[in-house]
């Protein structure tokens, strides 16, 4: 895991598609190791804000800066220091579970504490190691995607509606994942006002339609 955790500060961000503004005047921040919840209904732009905060997309206006420890971090370097998970993200459906986990470990620095079999166990996919990802249920794929995010050494976790496709047992599993594998990292969660997705005590930003 990264030796330092991520902090960021955003001031008067705005995002538009074409001539239409999704939202404007958005300001938020999170300290290293803190938790921020982005709350809003479908279409409110919370996923867009999440992708901007983790550096994947650019804002249309405003200022955003990231730091690790006492050092500033550029947007270009940010993806190598974070973990990200979103519903129906691009898992490779032709890979088996075992192949996908092994491939991921070659793309990102592997955790020093977790073996490939440990990751299978965390995802509750024992006995499914040789099944193709495309043959898994949506809930199993979501557990795999979340496990990849949490098992990757990183300075922060960015999660978009993480309990999507998870049943009651899966939601309990997700809460245990945060308890056991967050490792004091900064956590940013975009949620459709689902209290189960966000740890208690989190700072929050609420986005509204036509904001």
């Amino acid at each position: 895991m990264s030796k330092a955790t991520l902090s960021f500060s955003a001031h008067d961000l705005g995002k538009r598609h074409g001539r239409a503004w999704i939202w404007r005047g958005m300001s938020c921040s999170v300290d290293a190791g803190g938790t921020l919840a982005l709350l809003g209904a479908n279409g409110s732009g919370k996923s867009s804000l999440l992708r901007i905060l983790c550096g994947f997309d650019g804002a249309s206006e405003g200022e955003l800066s990231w730091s690790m420890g006492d050092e500033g971090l550029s947007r270009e370097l940010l993806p190598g220091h974070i973990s990200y998970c979103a519903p129906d993200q691009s898992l490779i459906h032709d890979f088996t579970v075992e192949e996908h986990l092994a491939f991921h470990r070659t793309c990102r620095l592997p955790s020093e504490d977790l073996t490939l079999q440990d990751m299978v166990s965390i995802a509750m996919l024992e006995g499914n190691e040789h099944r193709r990802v495309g043959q898994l249920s949506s809930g199993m794929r979501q557990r795999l995607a979340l496990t990849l995010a949490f098992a990757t050494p990183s300075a922060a976790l960015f999660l978009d509606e993480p309990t999507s496709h998870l049943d009651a047992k899966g939601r309990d599993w997700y809460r245990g994942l945060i308890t056991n594998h967050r490792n004091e990292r900064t956590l940013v969660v975009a949620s459709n006002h689902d209290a189960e997705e966000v740890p208690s005590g989190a700072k929050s930003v609420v986005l509204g339609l036509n904001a």
Side-chain angles (χ1 to χ4, degrees):
M1 170 183 167
S2 300
K3 293 182 179 179
T5 51
L6 183 76
S7 62
F8 63 78
S9 178
H11 181 66
D12 280 343
L13 296 183
K15 182 65 177 179
R16 66 182 178 188
H17 288 160
R19 296 183 179 180
W21 288 94
I22 304 174
W23 36 258
R24 301 185 75 179
M26 183 63 63
S27 297
C28 60
S29 63
V30 67
D31 296 329
T35 304
L36 177 66
L38 311 178
L39 306 176
N42 293 338
S44 62
K46 60 185 182 296
S47 295
S48 295
L49 178 56
L50 184 75
R51 290 182 60 85
I52 290 170
L53 294 178
C54 68
F56 290 170
D57 298 330
S60 302
E61 64 180 11
E63 299 178 355
L64 176 55
S65 60
W66 301 270
S67 299
M68 284 180 58
D70 297 327
E71 300 293 328
L73 188 65
S74 68
R75 178 185 167 192
E76 291 75 17
L77 295 177
L78 187 62
H81 294 280
I82 69 164
S83 297
Y84 174 83
C85 183
D88 300 316
Q89 71 180 51
S90 298
L91 295 173
I92 303 172
H93 285 207
D94 285 340
F95 277 6
T96 66
V97 169
E98 189 173 66
E99 288 171 342
H100 209 306
L101 291 169
F103 176 72
H104 184 83
R105 287 166 64 88
T106 66
C107 296
R108 298 293 299 268
L109 291 173
S111 170
E112 297 176 356
D113 302 322
L114 298 175
T115 66
L116 191 147
Q117 189 57 46
D118 288 334
M119 295 170 68
V120 170
S121 298
I122 291 170
M124 294 197 305
L125 291 174
E126 297 96 331
N128 292 282
E129 293 91 336
H130 303 298
R131 287 184 67 185
R132 295 189 184 279
V133 171
Q135 296 174 330
L136 302 177
S137 70
S138 58
M140 295 166 80
R141 289 196 298 271
Q142 183 69 0
R143 294 202 308 271
L144 174 60
L146 284 165
T147 297
L148 291 173
F150 276 80
T152 299
S154 59
L157 293 152
F158 289 82
L159 310 179
D160 192 356
E161 298 188 3
T163 61
S164 294
H165 308 305
L166 297 182
D167 58 15
K169 183 178 179 181
R171 291 192 292 272
D172 287 340
W173 169 88
Y174 164 73
R175 288 189 290 271
L177 194 65
I178 291 178
T179 299
N180 298 318
H181 298 285
R182 177 181 176 180
N183 297 328
E184 300 181 352
R185 285 176 282 185
T186 302
L187 177 64
V188 184
V189 180
S191 175
N192 192 2
H193 295 284
D194 187 341
E196 291 186 333
E197 293 187 313
V198 183
S200 60
K203 296 173 63 176
S204 63
V205 172
V206 180
L207 294 88
L209 291 172
N210 302 316

